[in-house]
Structure formats: structure tokens, C-alpha cells
Amino acid sequence: MKKKLVSILLVLGMLPAFSACRLKSRETSTRRTRETTKATTTEETTEETTDEPTERTTASATSSSETSESTTQNQTIPAVTPCATVNADFKAPDPNCPIEYRSEDERYHYTMELQLDPDKRTVGGHVVCEFYNNSEDDWDKLCLRDYSSLFIDSKTAGYDTALDTNGALTEITNIKDGRDDSDLSFERDSDVSVVWMPLSKKLAPKEKMTLSYDFVATIPTVADRYGITEKVYNITNFYPILAVYTKDGWSHERFYDCGECFFSEVSDYDVTLTVPKDYTVLSTGTSKSEEEKDGNKVITFDAPCVRDFVFCASPDFKMFEGYYKNTKIRVVYDQAHPSTQYMDEVSEACIEAGIDSLAAFGAAFGEYPYPELDIVLATIAAGGMEYPNLIICTDMNYYCMPIADRDRVSDKYVMMSTVVAHEIGHQWFMGIVGSNSGMEPWLDESFASYTELVYGQYIGYDSGYSRRYMNLVDMADDMKREGSAPINRPYYDFSSDDPYINAAYFYGQVCLYQMQEIIGQEAMYGVIREYVHRNAFHNATAKDFFDVLYECCGKDNKDLNDLIAVVFDMDRVYN
Ligand SMILES: [Zn+2]
């Protein structure tokens, strides 16, 4: 899905820092506008730190033969005068405002006892999911998504979404409806990742239910967002998870390997995970305890107010740490199989890009609301992939080669740094504000791609996406000819991967940047901050964004209207 895109981008002379598929900022047109130097030292550590967290510092934790020099800078968003059509009564939350968790009684709750078994290539265990009917309809069945089963060989009868690897159908057993302890059964859709569970007793609106089940998922030996490479285990989308019930019923978008159809409700996770005792684990949430038991390591995790739980594990991780305010940032790579000799420096660059991203996005959209953020450098086919509190970025070696004559470490690895920024941007657009990534892929990918530019502005790069150089209004015919416009369509509505990728990652990114140019940076960040706060920890649609945009700017701004008209199908937004 992704590798061919790299070559396309290289041919175009673009900088291929890209997400699940791609991202781009023209290196030739980037322009450094502000010099920032920052001393950083990063050393190997695998232990918790007791250092006092400091804003904008990169620091290794426990070993301190070299003392890291912290740099605290109050980098604020430069004031930009909004255009005259911005509504003076529109009040957005302040920059750097906190983002409050959704109330506990509205969150689902997963309790999971999991085992990773490298010998059998499995991850499995017991899951208890407490939830309620959050719709106005009776539910006579549940829908779960079992993405792990997608990794079966396509010859397995009856399923047409197989990924042709050495995975297996997930075993799901001992399924119970906690209301009367009755047994439930399930059946799979033709999309093997869709699991239907008929209920013997309907679940009424607001009624609570506890669903429990055992599962065993087989982990494929593939270099992918879910898979094993050497001794690195990327364990993501691995357990059957409750789907989202929308106004159109249970959402079960067909799986598409070039994008995502992951869509779930905000939940709390209490997880107990057993792994071999020499494994290091990074995950969603934070580890609360760790002990050795029967030759294994047993770790407990607490992950409140997130949409999923994932982890990456390996006996070969080398770890680096830094802080942004009270958030710990960790980076790991496979030191037994480093993709280049520069991996320590690449890891430093990722810490630095992580700190800058959290600082830039906290100012623009509201502060990152979690105590940890993990960055796993791993061999995956995509440039990167986003999960709650954890991102996986590729270690493909051209991302890990330094560019000469750059003094700042994150500048030396600007391709990797931009991937890091994009995936961290998803913590707001996917994580905090959820959306249906199958039906409205632009709503998380275009925003995450736009965050690359917010990051770029923060560190002093100009994207070159100004209307002075490439006005999307003048490019309307090109967009239509290649099938990319309008961008707000489900991924299956595009004729192939390329127009979809151009729409979700490129035109959407440029469009949001040019909206910013039209209404002013301060106004644009205010609109997005308000959109984030109204929809934090809920699932949003395009209408939620445009409602805020129009509240701020009205509907009489000709430049804005012209831009929207060529990029979006507004009937679809307000339908
Ligand atoms: Zn993305």
C-alpha cells in the first residue's frame, strides 16, 4: 500500500514524510525563518525517571554522565491580524488551554488480562467490556471489529478482505452477556474483520451491559503496523473491539489497507499483560506495576479516556526519554537490527520533534491531556501509524540518514521529524476528536497533515503552500481530473489509491493551510481549538468543523467560499 508511494514522491522531488500513506512538504520550498539551537543529550535508559520534568527539555532519565542542557523557550504563536470578516463575538478557548476528559460515566470500560506468547506467535486473554447503549435505538445485536483476522491467507474460504500473510482467524470463545450470564455466539461478515453478536435480550437505550469473552489472535510475521519483525512485536488492533453505533446503525466500514477504518468509543482500559521477562513494553496509558512471575514479567497498565489499547514489545529495544511539561516522551528502536548507524541521533531527533510538536499543538489546539507519549521506530511498510498515546514511525533507512549542514538534530532528520509531527497531530485528530476514518478520512488525515505545517511554523519553516504559489482555487480542474475533488468522501468512493491519498493527505492539508491564510492564523487556530473542545472525546463529523468555522467567519467571505467550493461537497457535509 505504501511503498510504491515513496518512489512516486521521490520522482516528484518531494519530501516523503508520510503517514499511513504519505505526507509531503517540498524541501525546495521550505525556508528556515528562525534559527533555534538546542543542546540535547540522550542516553540509553530503560528505567523510570525521577527527574523533575521541565518544559521543552530532552533528557535521558537515570544515567547522567552527560547532563542534558534544558532549554525553556516561550515560543508563542505569532499574532496575525485576522481578516475583517472574523466575528468579533466568536470566543475560542485560550491557547494552551487544558482539554478535560469526558466524564467517567460516559466512558466504556475494558478490563483485559493478556498474554504475549512469542513461541506460539499469539496474543490473547480474557476481556471484560462494560458499556451502555449510547443511541436512541434498541440494540438486538452487537458489532465488534476483529482486525487481527484480516491477516489470514486469502485462500481461506469465504472472506474477501484477507491480507495474504501467515495470520489466522482469531479464536473467540466463552462469550457471555453479563446481564443474565447467558452465552452469546457470533458470526463473521464477508469482511472477515466484522463480527456480529446477536443478543438474546435487546439492549435498550442507556441500558448497561457487560460483555466478556476469551480470545487468541495470531500475530503475522510481517513488517506492518500489526506484526513481528525480528524480535519487535507491534501489537495493535489485536483484540475484538466494540464498533461504533451511528445514526445509520453499526459502523462496519470495509477494511482498506491503504487507509484506516478504525473507529471506536472512548474507554478506560485496565490491562494486565504477561510477556517474557526480558521484554520491554511500551503501550497506551502508563504502567502501574511490574513483577516477575513464573519466569515471565507481569505488567499492569492504566489507560483512561482513550479509543484503543496497543503495545509494542521487544527484548531488543533501546530507549530514550524526554519531557514536555509533565508528559514523558519515550523513543525506542531495535538495537539488534538498527537500520542505520545514526539511530541514537535519530532517536534524539524524535524526542526533539515530539517536544516541539506537543508544544506547538498544545498552543494551537489545547494541551496534550496524557502523561505519556511513546514513539516506536519500527520496520513498517507505512511512514507511520497513530494510536492513542503511542505512534509507530518507520525505520526505513532513508528516513534515518542525516542531512548535512543542519545544526539542530530534528532538522538533520527532517523527514522523520515531520512523520513524528504528523502522527502526534493524530493524538488530537483521531485520538481526542474521534471520527469515522473510513467514511470521512479527510477529517483525521487532512488535519494531521495540516499539523505538520503547524509544527513547521513553530520551528521556523515555511511550507510553501501559500496561495501566492499554488492557489487551490486555480487547481480545481486538476483536482477534478485526477479524481481527488471533492476530498470529503469515503475512501471507497475514490477510484484508486492515488486520488484518495492526494485528497486526504495533500489537498486537504493545503486547503486547511489556505483557510488559515484567508482568515488569519490566530483565527484558524481558534476555530480548530473550539472544534477540539466541543468534540473532545466524542466522535465528530465534518459538520462539526464547518459549524465552528462559519460561527467564526460567517458565510460571506468570498475567498473562503471559493476555496471551500472547489475542495468540498458541502451537500454531503450538511446532509
Ligand atoms: Zn495520518
Side-chain angles (χ1 to χ4, degrees):
M1 60 182 163
K2 300 111 189 174
K3 280 187 176 169
K4 68 171 186 174
L5 297 164
V6 176
S7 58
I8 291 168
L9 289 162
L10 288 173
V11 167
L12 292 173
M14 296 174 120
L15 199 60
F18 56 97
S19 170
C21 290
R22 81 163 221 192
L23 159 172
K24 68 285 83 340
S25 54
R26 286 173 194 275
E27 188 173 26
T28 51
S29 62
T30 54
R31 180 169 54 85
R32 191 158 185 187
T33 57
R34 181 178 52 76
E35 292 299 316
T36 305
T37 56
K38 202 167 58 163
T40 58
T41 61
T42 316
E43 296 172 4
E44 179 178 5
T45 175
T46 54
E47 294 178 19
E48 295 291 306
T49 179
T50 54
D51 290 358
E52 196 65 26
T54 311
E55 183 174 2
R56 285 185 57 75
T57 60
T58 57
S60 75
T62 49
S63 54
S64 55
S65 57
E66 289 180 65
T67 307
S68 75
E69 182 180 323
S70 75
T71 53
T72 301
Q73 302 176 1
N74 292 317
Q75 287 174 293
T76 54
I77 303 167
V80 175
T81 307
C83 67
T85 56
V86 170
N87 178 2
D89 295 332
F90 177 79
K91 291 281 183 279
D94 291 336
N96 292 105
C97 56
I99 301 174
E100 304 294 336
Y101 285 172
R102 188 168 175 176
S103 72
E104 206 167 333
D105 58 356
E106 292 184 359
R107 284 141 45 183
Y108 290 180
H109 194 113
Y110 284 84
T111 306
M112 306 204 287
E113 291 174 28
L114 303 173
Q115 298 85 40
L116 175 69
D117 188 334
D119 293 334
K120 293 181 181 167
R121 269 203 298 124
T122 61
V123 56
H126 183 63
V127 177
V128 178
C129 176
E130 299 164 73
F131 62 98
Y132 61 98
N133 180 340
N134 58 2
S135 77
E136 295 177 355
D137 301 330
D138 287 337
W139 290 354
D140 58 4
K141 63 186 173 191
L142 304 176
C143 180
L144 280 78
R145 298 305 299 262
D146 167 29
Y147 303 108
S148 176
S149 288
L150 288 159
F151 291 79
I152 56 173
D153 189 291
S154 63
K155 293 186 185 67
T156 302
Y159 302 114
D160 50 8
T161 46
L163 289 171
D164 275 329
T165 65
N166 60 353
L169 288 180
T170 303
E171 296 172 25
I172 309 173
T173 56
N174 195 24
I175 311 167
K176 298 275 187 193
D177 178 343
R179 290 176 296 173
D180 55 7
D181 207 33
S182 60
D183 293 324
L184 297 179
S185 60
F186 72 93
E187 54 194 50
R188 291 185 187 276
D189 215 311
S190 61
D191 178 339
V192 71
S193 67
V194 177
V195 169
W196 295 104
M197 284 185 186
L199 293 175
S200 48
K201 185 179 149 197
K202 284 183 180 175
L203 191 69
K206 296 194 171 59
E207 186 183 353
K208 293 180 181 173
M209 175 177 165
T210 300
L211 172 72
S212 59
Y213 57 88
D214 298 331
F215 79 100
V216 179
T218 298
I219 312 160
T221 49
V222 291
D224 209 338
R225 46 195 175 188
Y226 175 60
I228 308 166
T229 309
E230 303 296 348
K231 289 184 180 174
V232 174
Y233 290 73
N234 295 334
I235 309 300
T236 66
N237 304 118
F238 63 98
Y239 61 94
I241 185 172
L242 203 61
V244 174
Y245 194 91
T246 71
K247 64 180 174 51
D248 300 317
W250 286 105
S251 171
H252 56 100
E253 263 57 65
R254 186 180 178 77
F255 181 80
Y256 178 52
D257 195 29
C258 191
E260 286 108 44
C261 59
F262 311 130
F263 188 33
S264 53
E265 298 284 6
V266 159
S267 307
D268 296 333
Y269 284 81
D270 287 322
V271 179
T272 304
L273 172 64
T274 301
V275 297
K277 67 180 179 186
D278 58 335
Y279 277 43
T280 298
V281 178
L282 283 77
S283 75
T284 306
T286 53
S287 67
K288 306 309 272 184
S289 68
E290 190 174 307
E291 62 173 350
E292 264 192 52
K293 197 173 176 184
D294 303 329
N296 288 314
K297 184 189 283 185
V298 180
I299 314 169
T300 61
F301 297 97
D302 179 23
C305 215
V306 289
R307 296 177 187 278
D308 201 353
F309 177 85
V310 306
F311 67 93
C312 295
S314 176
D316 295 327
F317 279 152
K318 183 171 182 179
M319 188 184 294
F320 300 75
E321 292 186 358
Y323 278 93
Y324 167 70
K325 295 187 175 174
N326 292 318
T327 297
K328 182 196 287 184
I329 302 171
R330 301 187 295 184
V331 175
V332 292
Y333 75 87
D334 178 359
Q335 61 184 336
H337 304 89
S339 69
T340 69
Q341 61 182 295
Y342 307 105
M343 292 309 291
D344 285 0
E345 200 173 62
V346 171
S347 301
E348 273 186 54
C350 290
I351 292 275
E352 196 172 272
I355 291 168
D356 286 338
S357 297
L358 291 183
F361 305 159
F365 315 131
E367 291 284 10
Y368 180 74
Y370 301 103
E372 280 189 18
L373 176 65
D374 292 333
I375 303 170
V376 177
L377 304 179
T379 306
I380 60 172
M385 186 62 204
E386 68 279 10
Y387 301 99
N389 308 165
L390 184 149
I391 61 175
I392 302 176
C393 298
T394 183
D395 67 356
M396 278 187 251
N397 76 4
Y398 58 83
Y399 282 85
C400 301
M401 298 294 286
I403 299 171
D405 304 325
R406 307 278 177 117
D407 51 355
R408 206 166 172 273
V409 65
S410 54
D411 287 353
K412 272 192 205 172
Y413 301 94
V414 63
M415 288 164 54
M416 180 66 89
S417 300
T418 310
V419 173
V420 168
H422 177 106
E423 306 306 342
I424 292 178
H426 274 301
Q427 299 301 311
W428 280 261
F429 307 107
M430 176 289 286
I432 295 168
V433 180
S435 57
N436 187 334
S437 57
M439 291 297 286
E440 296 191 284
W442 83 276
L443 204 51
D444 66 316
E445 289 307 343
S446 298
F447 274 84
S449 300
Y450 169 74
T451 67
E452 298 159 26
L453 309 182
V454 175
Y455 164 77
Q457 285 175 298
Y458 180 81
I459 63 169
Y461 280 99
D462 179 348
S463 68
Y465 287 167
S466 168
R467 293 191 302 158
R468 286 171 289 159
Y469 311 130
M470 47 180 297
N471 192 332
L472 281 189
V473 174
D474 299 333
M475 296 164 68
D477 290 343
D478 297 336
M479 292 169 65
K480 283 207 178 98
R481 191 165 41 245
E482 63 183 67
S484 294
I487 70 166
N488 57 322
R489 287 178 284 158
Y491 56 49
Y492 53 74
D493 244 32
F494 294 87
S495 59
S496 62
D497 288 353
D498 286 350
Y500 157 71
I501 291 160
N502 282 337
Y505 290 84
F506 179 63
Y507 292 120
Q509 176 192 37
V510 178
C511 175
L512 291 169
Y513 184 80
Q514 296 189 353
M515 278 183 183
Q516 172 187 312
E517 255 193 332
I518 292 167
I519 70 172
Q521 179 175 291
E522 194 177 319
M524 186 66 179
Y525 287 2
V527 165
I528 298 177
R529 212 157 48 240
E530 176 68 14
Y531 163 67
V532 167
H533 279 73
R534 279 189 201 176
N535 298 285
F537 303 110
H538 290 74
N539 290 316
T541 66
K543 175 180 179 301
D544 295 306
F545 170 69
F546 281 101
D547 282 351
V548 180
L549 180 69
Y550 288 137
E551 276 178 42
C552 175
C553 306
K555 292 189 173 180
D556 300 327
N557 186 317
K558 183 178 182 310
D559 286 344
L560 194 59
N561 291 344
D562 289 349
L563 177 63
I564 288 170
V566 301
V567 177
F568 294 99
D569 174 355
M570 294 307 285
D571 288 341
R572 195 184 281 270
V573 171
Y574 280 100
N575 196 337

